[in-house]
Amino acid sequence: SDDNNDVAPVQSSSIDMQLRCAVTELNPNYDFITAKYPEQQLREIPRNKLTLTRLLGQGAFGEVYEGSLKNLCANVKELPVAVKTLPALSMDQAEKDFLMEAVIISKFMHKNVVKCLGVCFEEHPRYIILELLEGGDLRTFLRDSRTKGDHACTLSMEELLKLALDIANGCRHLEEKHFVHRDVAARNCLLTSRGPERIAKIADFGMSRDIYSSDYYRKGGKAMLPIKWMPPEAFLDGVFTSKTDTWSYGVLLWEIFTLGYMPYPGQTNSDVMHFVASGGRLDPPDKCPARLSKIMIMCWNSVADIRPSFSEIIELLDMCLQDDEVLNANVSLCHYPMSDCFKD
Ligand code: ADP
């Protein structure tokens, strides 16, 4: 599969060459990036169809804005969007990394993965246009759902399970495409809204983008890695497979059912590496129903092959949704010192 015209419509052949060279031999996502998905090429959108309205936050490259997109297709007059920007004076490497992010996101077409609607790459500043996810990130949402004082939660077990299922479905889509995300965590999931109709989506491909970058090792090596979400074979041997994402997903489940605690409260990354490598594991949240704890524990098997696939995880979560014992359980209470729970 060396004949890659995936990203050809919007980039010069020289960037294309460099992009391919940046894909390392040991990269399990290599086939994914070089495979052909002609129907999902990057779509260049005329800049004048776009209005930026409000700053949403700061991304790795530049600001992220809320905006609207006019007349994208015949029956949609105006579409709310999020626009990632790349400052005009960016380095060559940032240009490539930014493009890579658009290429990666555009490979997916699933309700639980953020959609890329198109790009403005012909002029500066360059834009990546994404569907707008107005509910913010999952971790903040979970933390905000704690009512202060009595530790009760404004969300039901059913709502939490549905969030877990949303992300498992997104992960299954990545798994089917043999794509390893490498950074499945509550902070990287975004919500369509905060209300009961909310849908959670996997939305940050920064880590999978960065491994294509020749700048990767300069960006800080281990200090940049999400150690608390990684299985031992990943931080010890650098092995990443879909079962890496399964482990991280188990930690994400723990985050959901503790309403957004920092995993391994009070422990540093270095503590956690030693602890996990020698067989230590997170305790499932207090009073977590056994059926649910078991899923987390399966995700954290030291033998990667034995960890469940995302299809299996979805089946197990579906059974939780049909089990009154799970549905009627109290959403867990804090049993760690509060000060440790929200530290990053
Ligand atoms: P980067 O991965 O480049 O660091 P992020 O994805 O973290 O950037 O985005 C920075 C900010 O923009 C975050 O606050 C995030 O919540 C927000 N954001 C990113 N994508 C969207 C989106 N599709 N809809 C709404 N907000 C978004």
Side-chain angles (χ1 to χ4, degrees), residues 56-61 64 82 84 114 130-133 190 204:
L56 280 170
Q58 186 67 40
F61 298 98
V64 181
K84 289 196 166 200
V114 67
L130 303 173
E131 66 173 315
L132 181 67
L133 296 172
L190 295 180
D204 190 324

Side-chain angles (χ1 to χ4, degrees), residues 38-320:
E39 74 286 6
Q40 284 170 36
Q41 286 172 347
L42 292 182
R43 172 173 186 184
E44 180 75 25
I45 289 177
R47 208 169 275 262
N48 59 12
K49 288 192 171 183
L50 199 60
T51 316
L52 306 191
T53 49
R54 185 170 74 91
L55 184 68
L56 280 170
Q58 186 67 40
F61 298 98
E63 277 120 18
V64 181
Y65 290 89
E66 186 179 313
S68 70
L69 185 57
K70 270 197 265 305
N71 308 318
L72 180 66
C73 43
N75 49 356
V76 187
K77 269 206 116 37
E78 219 165 290
L79 201 63
V81 293
V83 181
K84 289 196 166 200
T85 66
L86 181 71
L89 291 173
S90 295
M91 307 287 285
D92 236 32
Q93 188 60 51
E95 288 262 350
K96 277 178 246 164
D97 294 352
F98 193 67
L99 171 64
M100 181 54 89
E101 181 163 332
V103 170
I104 291 173
I105 299 173
S106 301
K107 298 294 182 186
F108 305 113
M109 196 53 73
H110 190 274
K111 162 174 169 273
N112 301 112
V113 180
V114 67
K115 279 192 185 59
C116 179
L117 303 170
V119 298
C120 300
F121 275 1
E122 278 171 3
E123 284 166 63
H124 294 285
R126 307 211 197 280
Y127 295 150
I128 297 175
I129 305 163
L130 303 173
E131 66 173 315
L132 181 67
L133 296 172
E134 296 183 78
D137 77 275
L138 176 59
R139 183 166 66 172
T140 305
F141 174 73
L142 292 166
R143 289 179 178 188
D144 289 349
S145 78
R146 298 169 148 264
T147 53
K148 289 167 199 78
D150 61 1
H151 297 310
C153 177
T154 55
L155 298 168
S156 65
M157 277 304 266
E158 185 180 4
E159 287 175 289
L160 294 176
L161 283 167
K162 287 199 165 141
L163 290 168
L165 259 170
D166 278 348
I167 300 304
N169 275 298
C171 287
R172 177 167 62 181
H173 182 67
L174 306 189
E175 183 184 64
E176 277 166 5
K177 298 217 165 213
H178 306 288
F179 185 84
V180 185
H181 183 281
R182 296 175 179 240
D183 201 7
V184 173
R187 64 179 173 279
N188 291 332
C189 302
L190 295 180
L191 302 171
T192 51
S193 72
R194 292 204 149 206
E197 303 299 302
R198 72 187 79 83
I199 296 172
K201 310 198 181 204
I202 301 172
D204 190 324
F205 289 82
M207 194 62 67
S208 24
R209 170 199 69 217
D210 287 348
I211 53 154
Y212 294 104
S213 173
S214 58
D215 231 15
Y216 179 52
Y217 293 99
R218 253 189 294 150
K219 278 181 181 167
K222 279 208 166 145
M224 300 289 290
L225 294 173
I227 297 291
K228 291 184 169 185
W229 283 261
M230 286 164 71
E233 78 275 6
F235 61 69
L236 293 176
D237 309 320
V239 175
F240 288 83
T241 64
S242 288
K243 296 299 174 82
T244 314
D245 287 347
T246 291
W247 177 293
S248 312
Y249 181 83
V251 180
L252 168 68
L253 275 183
W254 188 94
E255 291 184 276
I256 291 176
F257 292 97
T258 57
L259 304 176
Y261 286 178
M262 170 54 72
Y264 308 94
Q267 288 183 265
T268 64
N269 281 343
S270 154
D271 294 340
V272 170
M273 279 198 268
H274 289 110
F275 178 68
V276 169
S278 56
R281 295 294 183 265
L282 281 168
D283 290 322
D286 251 9
K287 301 188 188 122
C288 184
R291 200 187 269 283
L292 195 53
S293 306
K294 275 189 196 147
I295 306 176
M296 297 179 203
I297 291 164
M298 289 167 80
C299 291
W300 302 327
N301 200 303
S302 41
V303 184
D305 284 344
I306 297 176
R307 291 173 209 150
S309 67
F310 283 99
S311 301
E312 290 170 292
I313 289 172
I314 289 164
E315 260 178 56
L316 294 167
L317 286 172
D318 275 332
M319 296 200 310
C320 287

